[in-house]
Amino acid sequence: MSPAAAAAVENLSAAPARPASAGSRTERLLQRFHEIRDFTTMLSAHLAPEDCVVQSMPDVSPTKWHLAHTTWFFETFILKKWLSGYQPEVPEYAFLFNSYYNAAGDMHRRDLRGLISRPTVDETRRYRSSIDSHIDDLLSGADDRLLDEIEPVLVLGFHHEQQHQELLVTDIKHVLAQNPLHPVFRQVERGRADIGKAAPAPVSFVEFDEAIVAIGHEGAEFSYDNEGPRHRALVLPFALASRPSTNGEYIAFMEDNAYARAEFWLSLGWTTVNEQRWQAPLYWEKRDGKWWNFTLSGFRPVDESEPVTHLSYFEADAFANWSGARLPTEFEWERAAQDLSWDGNFVESERFHPQGATPSAGGSLQQMFGDVWEWTRSSYSPYPGYHAEPGALGEYNGKFMCNQYVLRGGSCATSRTHIRATYRNFFQPEKRWQFNGIRLARDPR
Ligand SMILES: [Fe+2]
């Protein structure tokens, strides 16, 4: 965290001293709780209140809404259930800040979140502090039996908040990108912006033999329900690109007039690209014959060495066709990632932008984690034997298993402690505002 951000966090979280906890388990849970809550505060610390209320499209939520909704999650699923005598200070927040949990009650319309000027940003921050201190009280007074009940939901709340941290970053990028003044979210410190400026090694393909592979999460560590049950899958021989495709490679696709050549596009993609008049990735603009792009550090020339991002599934698929390749399945991707460490350019680096591949890359898989989510050609579907749990928290993943594609690996806006080899992200194929990119795959030659 930069010194300025740290100071801002200190000011914003200048709450009364946290209560001493009763034991190491409580201490560990509360420490993690506050680390995650403070990171959200840090991400929003440099924004003006005016930045925090804009909704630039229905998919985007205002920063203020993310701050409140993540708080609502802890209030609704923990305090209301386990804190005896708990009375919400503002009962109407249950309606305003519910996202999609039908079993938790009615909710405000998603596409109208930008019209809500009250509570103010300050009131929303006070709401966060109030709920945080109730969580402090609840956990500090809980015995092991009660902690056994609370901990799984609390940990789900941690990961839920990390998902919203990523959305906060991608949503504020979309908000700021609408402004012709090109506001800067965070100036990347001098020197760090130059990482990865050298030309990446040419892409190579790593080959994998046919195998029956164990797919899905196993073990006591946290995972989402959509990562299970673990099961066997037949993965035929394939080859996977050594690194994500770059801006330079994507410019070659554009310069080959590929956005106007139907032969590379899925039918729905061709319709979409023409209706939307897409000519380049989201946030790109041509000025005096050169491509520029809007980043969270401002508007700047496109760096050809960086992984290309802000692409729809349709564009990723068309690029793969143009390249004589295809997108990997999620099973191929998981097989390739199973033994790799989860290192990469994540949100904790505070770079907020994908990083160029290292020149030495080649012959092995680089940047599988972090930088850009990688579109797979797998529809987001339940694994064999999957059943969503009953109740509101069962709505978390299962009801979205229709008309979406799986992405793997995390991005520069994902937390390092949020990603796994089995993690399944998912978006509709036309969505472009996330840090979504491409890793090519091939069948054996
Ligand atoms: Fe949520």
Side-chain angles (χ1 to χ4, degrees), residues 65-66 69-70 72-73 97-101 113 160-161 163-164 167 396:
W65 188 88
H66 288 300
H69 165 71
T70 47
W72 166 89
F73 191 97
F97 300 125
N98 182 0
S99 53
Y100 56 66
Y101 299 88
R113 288 174 187 166
H160 173 255
E161 182 133 356
Q163 283 185 288
H164 279 277
L167 289 170
Y396 203 106

Side-chain angles (χ1 to χ4, degrees), residues 69-343:
H69 165 71
T70 47
T71 305
W72 166 89
F73 191 97
F74 290 111
E75 180 184 38
T76 302
F77 297 121
I78 293 185
L79 296 181
K80 287 185 179 175
K81 182 164 183 187
W82 284 297
L83 186 59
S84 140
Y86 177 75
Q87 293 291 331
E89 282 173 39
V90 187
E92 293 80 7
Y93 288 178
F95 174 76
L96 266 187
F97 300 125
N98 182 0
S99 53
Y100 56 66
Y101 299 88
N102 293 310
D106 291 339
M107 64 209 71
H108 185 240
R109 267 176 55 179
R110 178 190 177 119
D111 58 334
L112 301 183
R113 288 174 187 166
L115 302 182
I116 304 304
S117 60
R118 307 297 173 93
T120 64
V121 175
D122 275 349
E123 286 165 342
T124 304
R125 293 197 190 281
R126 282 201 287 279
Y127 174 47
R128 284 180 71 84
S129 296
S130 164
I131 296 302
D132 287 1
S133 66
H134 283 305
I135 292 281
D136 280 332
D137 293 344
L138 173 63
L139 294 193
S140 298
D143 58 20
D144 262 347
R145 192 190 51 75
L146 185 56
L147 286 177
D148 285 344
E149 289 181 37
I150 294 174
E151 182 167 346
V153 184
L154 187 71
V155 172
L156 179 64
F158 298 165
H159 288 270
H160 173 255
E161 182 133 356
Q162 288 184 310
Q163 283 185 288
H164 279 277
Q165 288 165 356
E166 174 153 10
L167 289 170
L168 188 157
V169 169
T170 55
D171 289 0
I172 199 64
K173 181 170 183 177
H174 195 267
V175 166
L176 298 177
Q178 311 311 311
N179 188 331
L181 299 178
H182 299 133
V184 169
F185 171 72
R186 191 74 56 83
Q187 199 67 58
V188 173
E189 286 168 29
R190 199 174 168 77
R192 295 171 71 191
D194 296 328
I195 297 167
K197 289 290 181 193
V203 71
S204 61
F205 282 80
V206 178
E207 296 187 355
F208 291 83
D209 294 333
E210 177 176 315
I212 293 174
V213 181
I215 294 291
H217 183 80
E218 183 177 51
E221 295 297 307
F222 174 85
S223 69
Y224 286 115
D225 63 351
N226 64 6
E227 295 168 64
R230 189 166 163 93
H231 62 285
R232 291 176 305 148
L234 173 63
V235 179
L236 296 176
F238 71 102
L240 194 62
S242 54
R243 57 164 173 75
S245 302
T246 62
N247 286 330
E249 288 158 350
Y250 201 80
I251 287 172
F253 164 77
M254 290 156 58
E255 288 179 347
D256 200 25
N257 207 27
Y259 272 92
R261 293 170 61 182
E263 70 261 36
F264 301 127
W265 297 82
L266 290 164
S267 174
L268 192 54
W270 184 241
T271 303
T272 306
V273 85
N274 283 293
E275 276 176 1
Q276 300 296 323
R277 301 185 180 188
W278 289 340
Q279 300 286 326
L282 181 63
Y283 302 129
W284 284 37
E285 203 178 306
K286 206 166 201 177
R287 289 202 173 173
D288 301 326
K290 294 262 185 230
W291 284 108
W292 288 59
N293 61 350
F294 179 76
T295 75
L296 283 163
S297 301
F299 192 59
R300 66 187 200 194
V302 167
D303 179 338
E304 295 197 10
S305 74
E306 290 169 357
V308 63
T309 189
H310 295 304
L311 296 173
S312 64
Y313 176 83
F314 299 132
E315 290 161 297
D317 181 76
F319 175 82
N321 288 332
W322 174 84
S323 304
R326 61 171 173 80
L327 298 177
T329 68
E330 65 168 319
F331 308 107
E332 290 168 339
W333 194 99
E334 187 167 324
R335 182 187 178 197
Q338 271 173 348
D339 298 324
L340 302 179
S341 64
W342 309 341
D343 296 330

Side-chain angles (χ1 to χ4, degrees), residues 359-418:
S360 59
S364 62
L365 296 172
Q366 307 286 324
Q367 297 177 285
M368 287 284 280
F369 293 96
D371 289 304
V372 292
W373 287 103
E374 298 174 7
W375 282 110
T376 75
R377 70 190 321 185
S378 298
S379 291
Y380 179 50
S381 301
Y383 285 166
Y386 170 84
H387 295 288
E389 292 294 316
L393 292 176
E395 297 182 55
Y396 203 106
N397 282 309
K399 70 183 186 182
F400 300 108
M401 290 175 173
C402 177
N403 293 345
Q404 312 213 41
Y405 285 85
V406 173
L407 301 102
R408 294 297 195 114
S411 80
C412 57
T414 309
S415 274
R416 185 183 302 276
T417 53
H418 186 65

